[in-house]
Amino acid sequence: MACLPVPYPDELLYSVIARYGVHSGITSPKQLLDDVFQNRKIIASVAFQGHLSQISAHYQGNADLTPYKLLQGHTLFPLYSPFVHPNIAAQAKHELLTDCRHSAEVQLGKAASKVKSPHYLRYCPLCIGAQVKQYGEAFWARRWQFPGLSVCAEHGIYLIRSPVLISEVHRHQFIALSPHVLLHSNPRLTTKKVAILAAYAQQLLSLPEQRIYSLQWSCFYHQLAKQLGFVRGKRVEHNLIANLVLGYWGTHTLASFSLNINKADENNWLRCLFRKHRKSFSYLQHLVVWQACYEQQLDLAKILFEVSQLPQSHYDDVPAHIESVIVDQIRRTEWQYVVAKFGVKGARSQGFAGLYIWLYRHDKQWLMQSNQDSMRPSFAKINKVDWPCRDKKYVKQLISLINEVEIQLDSDRHTVTWLVTHASIPLSQIKHLEKLPLCKLFFEKYCESIEEYQCRRIALACIDSLKKYEQLKAWRIERIAGLSKERTRPIVSQLLGYAVKYEAS
């Protein structure tokens, strides 16, 4: 059983596992996964490290390090859970706590969020000094990795981007915060408003978990608009809200959060936030609006609690006075004529919206039935992607890449992901290989198996040894190639034996 170090306050689990690798002298990422998870396929996740039951087992029943407390205190889960549907949050939590594969980044909205996560791990130089002074070593803190925010909540300075890339290429590797990843730069202070925003984001991590439904958020934002005086009847004055938020933050600051507001766009994120919630929004979108509305009186715990107590029904669902049915045969005939000519949606946009509204108020049952009977058959969508053209374009890029790297023995293993990434092809566009026969044939021919990759590493190690006039020894070649007797495949061991035997003769 691995003797994992006890997590420091606000330390990421990613950092805990990386520190264990340093303390144990483990240089192989796969060996580290073997020690901690007994599984070499675990992905190193900065935001949502899964398999928490396995990690907690290494602490042998420590009541302060249960799977749930590790989730709440050492991952970014509390930053997302209040703002997604409780059933989705519960499913993601179950997958993270148990020993199973998880898709928390997709379920909790991180992958598709308007607020993008950092591509590199970040740090605060002042915090690192305090960490070394208090604990004797530095570690990756949660507050440095907030999506959309590049500010330290403790010191109010801009975070520094480290060379540690969060990528698919090294997704099984836990990299500790050590002196060689630190860059020398002068700390730069941020504005007071952004520093307060970062402090609110950090506060959000320590609040108790709340179950909040989408309709409760809808009710809350309608009430907020009413409190601000931005509601006329049931209509929210979205332009006035946009003026308030833009006036408080400014376009430049909002752009730095990736939260630009285009008032001319009827579907900008701020309008959608104050409408009926049909999707979840990120923590930063909520905090940006709350701080602009409440300023110094913002109490996150109070807001989340009050929203959780709101009724789970939309404000528009309250029964209203029902108009008596009025049969107007002339209006009915006119509506049937325009629907036959333009369709239901087309009729409303062609100047007959007033007629529709009158019938909806006074003759709704007939209108709904008439529209149902007049529905036009839907046609299958035309395939907008020219797959043969895309296939030829991408296979040319892949051929150009393989021509460049084919003789580079020191490159990484040529997997589908590696080839696609280095050929500058979006991964999402290569998923349907059944429609890309040329690309599929290319991958079948040029993707390396584990045996082929190990043989290439052995060959490179032999070349390096011969250049240094060193005698070829099996143990030396395996060490240079980063292999071991346990991991080396049989055919590779056979090749290594031939190389050593040939050198000896």
Side-chain angles (χ1 to χ4, degrees):
M1 178 176 286
C3 186
L4 290 181
V6 174
Y8 294 122
D10 199 45
E11 182 181 12
L12 287 167
L13 277 176
Y14 173 96
S15 176
V16 175
I17 298 170
R19 283 198 299 118
Y20 167 74
V22 174
H23 294 176
S24 304
I26 299 174
T27 57
S28 167
K30 296 295 178 120
Q31 184 61 48
L32 180 59
L33 295 178
D34 264 343
D35 273 21
V36 179
F37 301 101
Q38 294 78 51
N39 185 344
R40 294 190 169 198
K41 296 181 180 180
I42 301 296
I43 295 175
S45 175
V46 174
F48 308 114
Q49 186 57 57
H51 303 270
L52 297 180
S53 59
Q54 277 190 301
I55 296 174
S56 178
H58 291 294
Y59 296 111
Q60 301 180 358
N62 188 328
D64 294 327
L65 296 172
T66 61
Y68 179 74
K69 288 185 178 179
L70 289 176
L71 178 71
Q72 290 294 117
H74 301 282
T75 72
L76 295 183
F77 180 79
L79 209 61
Y80 293 85
S81 60
F83 308 112
V84 298
H85 194 282
N87 295 345
I88 296 175
Q91 176 65 25
K93 180 167 68 173
H94 171 74
E95 292 178 0
L96 289 169
L97 293 176
T98 55
D99 184 22
C100 64
R101 296 180 63 182
H102 70 84
S103 54
E105 295 203 0
V106 175
Q107 290 176 307
L108 299 176
K110 178 177 178 290
S113 176
K114 185 178 181 65
V115 179
K116 299 304 178 185
S117 299
H119 296 296
Y120 292 83
L121 288 174
R122 302 171 303 185
Y123 65 90
C124 168
L126 300 183
C127 287
I128 286 180
Q131 288 175 355
V132 173
K133 185 177 180 181
Q134 184 174 359
Y135 304 109
E137 61 180 333
F139 55 87
W140 298 113
R142 287 192 298 174
R143 61 178 176 273
W144 301 340
Q145 316 306 332
F146 290 152
L149 273 178
S150 186
V151 174
C152 174
E154 293 287 336
H155 300 99
I157 64 172
Y158 285 103
L159 298 170
I160 299 172
R161 192 185 77 176
S162 76
V164 181
L165 174 65
I166 307 169
S167 68
E168 289 291 317
V169 179
H170 302 291
R171 60 180 183 167
H172 301 291
Q173 188 172 6
F174 292 87
I175 303 175
L177 179 56
S178 56
H180 76 273
V181 304
L182 301 180
L183 303 174
H184 296 287
S185 60
N186 295 323
R188 294 187 300 117
L189 284 172
T190 184
T191 61
K192 184 179 179 182
K193 291 179 180 178
V194 177
I196 294 172
L197 179 65
Y200 283 137
Q202 184 177 0
Q203 182 184 343
L204 196 58
L205 291 174
S206 59
L207 296 179
E209 191 175 3
Q210 300 284 358
R211 292 174 58 87
I212 303 177
Y213 292 84
S214 300
L215 289 177
Q216 290 175 314
W217 281 121
S218 301
C219 290
F220 166 74
Y221 278 104
H222 188 77
Q223 290 179 4
L224 177 60
K226 187 176 289 187
Q227 291 171 10
L228 296 171
F230 295 157
V231 175
R232 292 185 180 178
K234 287 187 177 181
R235 184 172 177 273
V236 176
E237 297 289 343
H238 294 288
N239 283 336
L240 297 180
I241 297 172
N243 291 338
L244 172 66
V245 176
L246 283 169
Y248 183 85
W249 290 109
T251 55
H252 177 73
T253 303
L254 289 174
S256 70
F257 301 151
S258 301
L259 293 178
N260 309 66
I261 298 174
N262 181 8
K263 292 197 289 185
D265 183 5
E266 287 294 320
N267 294 308
N268 66 62
W269 68 267
L270 187 60
R271 282 178 177 263
C272 294
L273 191 67
F274 278 84
R275 289 172 175 165
K276 181 177 180 179
H277 282 217
R278 292 178 172 85
K279 62 178 183 179
S280 60
F281 297 86
S282 77
Y283 81 98
L284 192 56
Q285 290 169 301
H286 289 279
L287 291 184
V288 162
V289 173
W290 296 351
Q291 189 171 329
C293 296
Y294 294 104
E295 297 193 25
Q296 302 296 333
Q297 287 75 41
L298 177 56
D299 186 341
L300 298 184
K302 182 180 178 183
I303 287 179
L304 292 179
F305 176 75
E306 289 180 350
V307 175
S308 68
Q309 302 303 308
L310 290 173
Q312 296 178 26
S313 60
H314 199 260
Y315 50 86
D316 286 338
D317 295 338
V318 178
H321 173 67
I322 301 174
E323 297 279 352
S324 57
V325 176
I326 301 176
V327 178
D328 189 326
Q329 199 61 45
I330 296 176
R331 284 191 170 92
R332 285 185 175 184
T333 305
E334 184 181 4
W335 179 252
Q336 288 175 328
Y337 172 77
V338 296
V339 166
K341 186 175 181 180
F342 302 110
V344 176
K345 187 175 180 180
R348 294 176 64 181
S349 61
Q350 292 291 329
F352 296 95
L355 176 61
Y356 175 87
I357 292 171
W358 190 94
L359 288 169
Y360 186 88
R361 288 178 177 173
H362 303 287
D363 201 358
K364 181 179 178 180
Q365 187 174 357
W366 175 88
L367 177 66
M368 295 295 104
Q369 185 62 47
S370 175
N371 290 347
Q372 186 70 25
D373 296 339
S374 304
M375 284 184 65
R376 296 180 177 181
S378 59
F379 299 96
K381 292 184 178 179
I382 301 172
N383 192 355
K384 295 182 179 180
V385 177
D386 187 343
W387 290 103
C389 179
R390 175 179 288 185
D391 194 18
K392 292 176 184 177
K393 175 186 174 184
Y394 286 163
V395 82
K396 286 179 182 178
Q397 292 176 229
L398 290 167
I399 291 171
S400 298
L401 172 67
I402 206 66
N403 289 338
E404 293 177 11
V405 303
E406 197 167 20
I407 59 174
Q408 297 176 9
L409 296 180
D410 58 344
S411 61
D412 292 329
R413 181 184 166 200
H414 297 169
T415 61
V416 173
T417 303
W418 188 91
L419 290 167
V420 169
T421 303
H422 286 77
S424 301
I425 299 173
L427 281 171
S428 60
Q429 296 190 12
I430 210 75
K431 288 182 178 179
H432 302 286
L433 280 179
E434 69 280 0
K435 299 179 182 179
L436 303 169
L438 295 177
C439 291
K440 184 177 181 180
L441 187 63
F442 176 91
F443 292 136
E444 290 174 354
K445 183 175 181 180
Y446 290 104
C447 283
E448 287 183 316
S449 64
I450 295 177
E451 288 84 359
E452 289 171 333
Y453 180 46
Q454 288 186 351
C455 286
R456 179 155 63 85
R457 288 159 69 182
I458 290 291
L460 180 62
C462 290
I463 292 171
D464 288 344
S465 293
L466 292 173
K467 284 181 178 179
K468 297 175 182 178
Y469 302 101
E470 295 176 345
Q471 188 177 1
L472 295 184
K473 297 288 186 180
W475 62 268
R476 179 181 289 132
I477 299 303
E478 285 182 339
R479 186 180 66 184
I480 296 173
L483 298 172
S484 64
K485 290 183 179 180
E486 295 78 16
R487 289 188 291 168
T488 306
R489 299 297 173 94
I491 191 172
V492 183
S493 298
Q494 192 177 2
L495 173 66
L496 178 58
Y498 285 146
V500 173
K501 185 178 179 182
Y502 178 79
E503 171 68 12
S505 62

